[in-house]
Amino acid sequence: MIRIVLSILGIVACVVLITASAQFGFARLLARYGFVTKSIPAAAQAVRLTPKDAEAHRALAVAFRNVQMYREAAKEFEIAASLRPADDYLWLELGTLRDELDDQAGALSAFDQSVANAPYYAHTRWQRANLRLRMGRYDEAFAELREATKSNKVFLPSLIDLAWGVSRGDIKTTEQLVGIESTDSRIAFARFLAGKGKGRETREQFVLVAASVSEAQKRELIAKLSDTRQYGEAFNIWKGTDAVVSEIYDGGFEGPISFGGSGFGWNIPRELPKISISIDTSEKDTGAKSIRIAFDGPSPAATAIISQPIIIKAGQKYRINFAVKAKGIITGGVPLLRIADVVTNAELAHSANLPQNSANWEKSSFEFTAPATNEAVVLQLARNECQSQPCPIFGVLWLDSLSIEEIK
């Protein structure tokens, strides 16, 4: 008889467990659905089925927050956090919501719990520090922001931006607030200053860590300075000198060429339809090499085939010298060299049309006056516009011995 009773009790227990498990599983399914779809009815039903499940209360809180029922959402987050007190993310969500309700003391308390549960995570400290910053507790805030950044470098640009705003653009104060000491932080600060158009200050930061700056980082600084028209400082970083001089870099094409390059050397697009560009050692005016441009069909006449930025003095008159050779150029848009505005790409001057056939190298030059508004111009090999499109071109062109000189 006892065995029968025990068996019945075992069966009942199994049924209860199966029923409870099914109910819990169904509640979890509702909670998940309510969380994803922000459905208040689904999440509320999950809470009714499993009132002790933190995930159900979190789903209901998220659904309330979605319809701006912030106080109801905060209550549900509080219940969820009490049921799962070691979950740093629940405390973080509660703190964020309390902050939205202008309950800074309550938000700080929740953030304290979040940090206590995840003391080495950057995101918890970052949120608490931002609240302290808005509360005017600057020393505590920036000390914690620095700690968060040490844990996760992705926060460094945001920290610099915050410090810049708080210091109202004071460079020394920004350095102190951010704690710029490492190479990474100084490079990040230089990148930030370049974006703000602070050319001299960018170069000062760069010089302090120049030996540790990668080529990619150097190119990024040059590009940012160029974007903000700080061409002189960009040139200094590119060339590694304090002197700003007007010159055509590698005008004889003695060094290697690279496609898709930037900076103050030769810039050659990676893809130019029906145009092949290479270094030629068999044809040269001076030195050991020249550049060979072979045309074999339609190509955009408006596109610069090769180009190079040149630092100039405002209002100064210059002469561009070059040597050219051609073989079998046939086109309605004959190539030429032009000087263009570095910002607008508007033409400032151009050479005569380049020859279409020449047995020997021909020396030529043209002049231009530097604009008063920019520190640089762009030298380009381009083509005349054709009367009709497409505009095919065939043949081979060589260039060598490019130079620039001031006209007194």
Side-chain angles (χ1 to χ4, degrees), residues 69-125:
M69 296 173 66
Y70 296 127
R71 296 194 182 282
E72 293 82 355
K75 181 181 177 181
E76 292 300 323
F77 271 129
E78 287 168 3
I79 296 171
S82 68
L83 292 169
R84 202 160 65 203
D87 189 328
D88 63 285
Y89 200 74
L90 279 175
W91 288 109
L92 199 63
E93 288 182 302
L94 175 58
T96 302
L97 193 55
R98 284 175 173 174
D99 192 19
E100 290 177 4
L101 291 167
D102 294 324
D103 178 11
Q104 291 187 327
L108 186 58
S109 175
F111 287 148
D112 286 341
Q113 289 294 327
S114 182
V115 171
N117 287 327
Y120 303 110
Y121 286 7
H123 66 279
T124 56
R125 290 187 175 277

Side-chain angles (χ1 to χ4, degrees), residues 295 322-331 334-336 351-364 393-394 396-399:
F295 303 98
F322 62 96
V324 60
K325 186 176 181 180
K327 181 180 180 181
I329 298 290
I330 302 172
T331 182
V334 179
L336 49 71
S351 69
N353 289 342
L354 300 184
Q356 294 177 259
N357 278 290
S358 54
N360 301 305
W361 285 89
E362 296 182 9
K363 303 282 191 179
S364 189
I393 178 171
F394 300 90
V396 181
L397 188 73
W398 291 268
L399 286 174

Side-chain angles (χ1 to χ4, degrees), residues 140-357:
E140 294 176 41
F142 276 100
E144 188 154 48
L145 288 168
R146 289 192 293 270
E147 287 301 312
T149 303
K150 287 178 183 177
S151 298
N152 191 341
K153 293 292 191 297
V154 76
F155 289 115
L156 183 56
S158 296
L159 174 55
I160 294 172
D161 192 46
L162 276 173
W164 183 263
V166 169
S167 69
R168 297 182 179 180
D170 183 273
I171 290 176
K172 290 299 180 185
T173 303
T174 301
E175 278 193 74
Q176 292 170 0
L177 291 174
V178 177
I180 292 176
E181 297 172 349
S182 67
T183 297
D184 286 345
S185 63
R186 202 162 294 282
I187 292 171
F189 191 34
R191 189 185 299 119
F192 176 85
L193 291 171
K196 292 291 183 182
K198 301 291 183 180
R200 177 178 58 81
E201 294 85 351
T202 299
R203 190 163 63 87
E204 287 172 354
Q205 295 294 322
F206 170 80
V207 167
L208 293 173
V209 291
S212 303
V213 177
S214 69
E215 280 302 312
Q217 290 168 330
K218 187 176 175 181
R219 285 195 299 270
E220 185 182 5
L221 285 180
I222 292 167
K224 282 185 174 290
L225 286 171
S226 297
D227 288 343
T228 54
R229 305 186 188 182
Q230 301 294 306
Y231 298 106
E233 302 297 347
F235 179 84
N236 289 151
I237 290 176
W238 179 76
K239 195 71 181 289
T241 176
D242 290 334
V244 177
V245 295
S246 300
E247 67 173 357
I248 296 176
Y249 175 77
D250 193 16
F253 303 97
E254 300 300 312
I257 60 172
S258 60
F259 294 86
S262 61
F264 291 86
W266 290 111
N267 300 324
I268 305 171
R270 290 188 182 278
E271 294 184 7
L272 287 169
K274 302 298 183 179
I275 300 176
S276 175
I277 300 175
S278 60
I279 294 296
D280 196 334
T281 57
S282 61
E283 291 284 354
K284 61 265 188 183
D285 173 58
T286 57
K289 302 172 184 176
S290 68
I291 193 166
R292 180 181 186 272
I293 303 102
F295 303 98
D296 188 31
S299 63
T303 301
I305 300 166
I306 63 172
S307 64
Q308 180 174 146
I310 304 172
I311 295 295
I312 44 84
K313 299 175 185 175
Q316 174 65 49
K317 192 171 184 180
Y318 292 94
R319 180 181 294 116
I320 300 290
N321 303 302
F322 62 96
V324 60
K325 186 176 181 180
K327 181 180 180 181
I329 298 290
I330 302 172
T331 182
V334 179
L336 49 71
L337 289 174
R338 66 193 292 259
I339 291 290
D341 186 286
V342 74
V343 177
T344 66
N345 202 40
E347 185 177 287
L348 303 175
H350 62 79
S351 69
N353 289 342
L354 300 184
Q356 294 177 259
N357 278 290

Side-chain angles (χ1 to χ4, degrees), residues 18 42 48 51 95 97 121 128 158 202 226 265 272 309 367 381 401 404:
I18 291 169
R48 280 192 290 270
L97 193 55
Y121 286 7
R128 184 170 70 175
S158 296
T202 299
S226 297
L272 287 169
E367 299 174 0
L381 172 63
S401 307
I404 184 171

